[in-house]
Amino acid sequence: MSSAWKIFFAIFAVALMLYAPDVAADLTSADPDGNGILDEVKDRYIFAAMMWRGVILEHATWLFWILVLINMVWTFGMMAIQKADIADFFREFVKFAVVTGFFWWVLLNGPVMATALYESLMKIGAEAGGLPEGLSPSSIIEVGFEISARVNNVLTVWDPIDSLVVILAGVAILIVLALVAVNMLILIISAYILAYAGFFFVAFGGSMWTRDMAINFLKTALGLAVQLLGMVLIVGIGEGFLNHFASQMSGEINFSELTVMLVICIVLLILSNKIPALLAGIITG
């Protein structure tokens, strides 16, 4: 790398750290209620997804009953051709009605079921992790901005080399924690998009030939709920540990303390990538 690029990255790092408090204010206080910009992005996506439900349900209803009609004609038509007796017809009708009624109920209540499952397991994870107010993507990155603000307080032009090293370590911590927050944000948004858009595929439960697609919606929703549980557990533990370590750091923050913090953040990032998927494997196989 040329000297010009080194100088550019050094200036960029200094600028990022100097403006970190202002960015932190935007990310953690995006509205009067104190919700951060990441939480606002999450809420906007969830609200937009909720608006899809009516249109999707209308089309899914038509598809469901068309498949039910085809399935009914085929099932009872074949029984008529085989000259089945009335007991066989009654038994098959009861089975057909129960299965059709179940998938119709799931189609009408799929988003409610999925979101209730998400919220329940996230609440369980928050309670298990000792987080009375739950956990949000914005709350994770607050730790990084807190460290950035503390780094700004120890910068000095009389020791530019050490200051630059500390700045780079602080930037690395901030980036890693931002990745953790984004991972959680993406997982939450994906779960709610599945709930309010993916429930369309429950309509395929109207036919015995396509019923596996409807079952896959239920399995996928449960798998995402388990991933959210794992994410809240892991990130909750990591956030508590980071807050505790940050409070124990000396007033004259140094590179060795930042290095330890960076290692902790990297471990948290890797765990947040691996553990939720591992737990979801119990459901999806």
Side-chain angles (χ1 to χ4, degrees), residues 10-32:
I11 295 174
F12 173 77
V14 172
L16 181 61
M17 297 302 292
L18 290 176
Y19 286 101
D22 296 332
V23 177
D26 293 335
L27 286 176
T28 59
S29 302
D31 57 57

Side-chain angles (χ1 to χ4, degrees), residues 177-201:
L177 288 179
L179 292 175
V180 175
V182 169
N183 281 344
M184 187 175 187
L185 177 66
I186 291 174
L187 184 58
I188 294 174
I189 292 176
S190 299
Y192 280 87
I193 287 179
L194 173 77
Y196 288 100
F199 84 100
F200 173 82
F201 295 94

Side-chain angles (χ1 to χ4, degrees), residues 23-264:
V23 177
D26 293 335
L27 286 176
T28 59
S29 302
D31 57 57
D33 295 330
N35 295 324
I37 189 71
L38 296 181
D39 293 339
E40 184 177 350
V41 170
K42 177 197 69 176
D43 293 339
R44 286 181 179 272
Y45 270 96
I46 292 175
F47 179 78
M50 292 172 64
M51 297 298 101
W52 304 338
R53 182 182 178 183
V55 176
I56 293 176
L57 179 60
E58 180 182 354
H59 293 281
T61 299
W62 278 100
L63 176 61
F64 179 82
W65 289 114
I66 289 173
L67 292 175
V68 167
L69 180 61
I70 294 172
N71 192 21
M72 183 176 63
V73 170
W74 175 265
T75 300
F76 293 105
M78 293 300 296
M79 293 185 69
I81 293 174
Q82 296 172 1
K83 298 180 179 181
D85 56 27
I86 190 65
D88 291 336
F89 269 102
F90 182 75
R91 182 172 59 251
E92 190 63 32
F93 175 77
V94 171
K95 177 183 175 182
F96 182 87
V98 170
V99 174
T100 301
F102 170 75
F103 282 103
W104 173 240
W105 179 82
V106 172
L107 180 62
L108 294 178
N109 299 279
V112 176
M113 291 172 54
T115 54
L117 189 61
Y118 301 153
E119 293 169 2
S120 297
L121 290 187
M122 289 180 70
K123 182 178 180 181
I124 292 173
E127 291 179 357
L131 303 170
E133 298 181 356
L135 186 68
S136 66
S138 290
S139 65
I140 303 168
I141 202 170
E142 287 179 9
V143 180
F145 284 116
E146 179 184 349
I147 295 172
S148 299
R150 294 180 63 179
V151 167
N152 287 336
N153 295 332
V154 300
L155 295 181
T156 174
V157 296
W158 306 112
D159 197 356
I161 301 300
D162 290 345
S163 296
L164 179 60
V165 171
V166 170
I167 287 173
L168 293 176
V171 169
I173 292 172
L174 186 60
I175 292 174
V176 174
L177 288 179
L179 292 175
V180 175
V182 169
N183 281 344
M184 187 175 187
L185 177 66
I186 291 174
L187 184 58
I188 294 174
I189 292 176
S190 299
Y192 280 87
I193 287 179
L194 173 77
Y196 288 100
F199 84 100
F200 173 82
F201 295 94
V202 179
F204 289 96
S207 169
M208 61 181 177
W209 301 288
T210 57
R211 198 157 287 157
D212 287 344
M213 297 176 66
I215 296 173
N216 285 338
F217 166 79
L218 299 175
K219 292 173 62 177
T220 305
L222 181 57
L224 281 171
V226 173
Q227 286 192 64
L228 288 170
L229 170 65
M231 179 68 76
V232 172
L233 287 172
I234 294 301
V235 176
I237 295 172
E239 183 186 11
F241 188 71
L242 287 171
N243 284 325
H244 174 74
F245 188 82
S247 65
Q248 299 297 319
M249 295 173 71
S250 61
E252 295 295 328
I253 192 169
N254 54 61
F255 179 70
S256 61
E257 291 177 331
L258 289 177
T259 302
V260 174
M261 181 70 79
L262 177 59
V263 171
I264 296 173

